[in-house]
Amino acid sequence: MTKVTAQMSVSLDGCYAGPLYSGGGNWMDSAESAGFFRITRWVIDAMAWRERQGFAGGEPSTNSDIVAETFAAAGAYVMGRRMADGGEVPWGDDPPFRAPVFVVTHRPRTTLVRQGGTSFTYVTDGIASAVEQARAAANGKNVAVAGGGSLLRQVLKAGLLDELELHIAPVVLGAGMRLLDADLELDDKEAIELTPTRVVHTPQVTHIRYTVDGRAALVLDDRGSGAGIPSADAP
């Protein structure tokens, strides 16, 4: 059964990059870049990631196994336009996805076909449409929401995400682009509930996988008083 999944590296305080870079100059010199590369440091030495990028070397570690598992599970991807534009040159003619990619955007563009089975289809009629097109193209495998964080939040907010895996790096950035932010538009007494299904710890990062259960009301938990939890049918 095809699931819509997402995975992202975050700091202990929930940032997936440093403060948003919006000025001129070189992105690589920015605070956004510095934060991003710190929290994704665990990936760089993973043999599976290096092989997928066409790089030599790497270590056959638990982290590498998780990278390989993530790539193997994905039959199609959904990503935001900022990520697609930023990766187009570095990814080159043979991007690491090796599957159809559906890019959520307001600016139309002809489908970009690359080597290795990767194609970029630019979807202008919304996130739900991009997810459905990816689901149809996934050939029974999962639809992976590749990012960035803003797109992932929109997919979560829309109730389209089935599974979320966070790779939590042991670092506090203090400020940066937070994955889970106020633009989820939850009501004052509403939350998105998740169930942890797997935890894998390594010295570099802790991998936690969740099933997304969806929105739920926040109710008073009065167990500490000894009176029990009020019944939903109580007047």
Side-chain angles (χ1 to χ4, degrees):
M1 178 180 175
T2 296
K3 295 185 292 186
V4 179
T5 68
Q7 56 88 30
M8 187 164 286
S9 296
V10 295
S11 63
L12 194 60
D13 51 341
C15 298
Y16 60 92
L20 177 66
Y21 170 74
S22 58
N26 187 348
W27 180 81
M28 292 292 291
D29 294 330
S30 69
E32 179 184 337
S33 169
F36 171 78
F37 283 109
R38 171 58 188 91
I39 62 166
T40 58
R41 182 188 296 170
W42 68 274
V43 178
I44 305 303
D45 291 329
M47 184 172 66
W49 183 85
R50 297 186 69 85
E51 287 179 346
R52 197 76 172 204
Q53 305 294 325
F55 301 151
E59 300 174 359
S61 61
T62 297
N63 291 333
S64 181
D65 291 343
I66 286 176
V67 171
E69 176 189 69
T70 300
F71 278 126
Y77 293 84
V78 175
M79 73 173 57
R81 183 67 183 257
R82 185 173 187 251
M83 180 176 178
D85 286 353
E88 183 173 338
V89 172
W91 291 329
D93 293 330
D94 188 10
F97 305 102
R98 301 178 190 173
V101 180
F102 296 85
V103 181
V104 180
T105 181
H106 296 296
R107 294 177 283 127
R109 183 179 178 183
T110 303
T111 296
L112 184 64
V113 179
R114 294 302 200 199
Q115 298 173 13
T118 300
S119 61
F120 295 90
T121 299
Y122 295 82
V123 180
T124 58
D125 57 345
I127 292 170
S129 175
V131 168
E132 284 308 305
Q133 291 182 56
R135 191 188 296 274
N139 198 27
K141 298 176 80 173
N142 290 343
V143 172
V145 179
S150 176
L151 179 75
L152 199 163
R153 284 196 300 275
Q154 292 176 62
V155 174
L156 182 61
K157 179 171 66 175
L160 299 172
L161 191 65
D162 299 310
E163 184 178 279
L164 173 64
E165 185 156 19
L166 298 180
H167 312 291
I168 304 174
V171 61
V172 176
L173 295 184
M177 300 168 68
R178 298 189 185 279
L179 177 59
L180 303 174
D181 215 333
D183 62 3
L184 288 169
E185 297 179 358
L186 295 167
D187 292 340
D188 289 344
K189 292 186 177 182
E190 182 182 42
I192 296 174
E193 295 281 356
L194 303 94
T195 300
T197 58
R198 186 178 77 172
V199 179
V200 179
H201 171 71
T202 75
Q204 300 82 22
V205 63
T206 300
H207 311 274
I208 307 180
R209 179 179 294 172
Y210 300 90
T211 295
V212 180
D213 300 321
R215 293 176 180 248
L218 294 172
V219 297
L220 177 65
D221 186 340
D222 199 30
R223 285 175 292 189
S225 71
I229 303 174
S231 168
D233 299 325

